[in-house]
Amino acid sequence: MDPWHDSLARQLGDTRASSRELVLRSRALIEENHRLLDENYRLRQQRAAIVGGAETRR
């Protein structure tokens, strides 16, 4: 392979590796976001139950 093609092949390999890393990072962030949304929902439900209970006692 000539130097130009060799360089291009290396860059393509680096780009593919970066792309795979970004895909994995994106998936991890999406999963973390879903986990945080679920936790937020549960906390809001708990807060609503506590606030609702406090208002019922008044």
Side-chain angles (χ1 to χ4, degrees), residues 24-40:
L24 292 175
R25 221 187 276 169
S26 296
R27 287 179 183 162
L29 288 171
I30 289 167
E31 288 175 10
E32 177 70 1
N33 188 45
H34 287 165
R35 186 189 69 73
L36 290 171
L37 287 170
D38 290 344
E39 183 179 344
N40 186 32

Side-chain angles (χ1 to χ4, degrees), residues 1-20:
M1 221 189 267
D2 66 61
W4 185 83
H5 282 98
D6 191 41
S7 175
L8 191 59
R10 253 194 325 277
Q11 288 177 5
L12 181 58
D14 291 348
T15 300
R16 285 181 180 157
S18 295
S19 177
R20 279 191 296 271

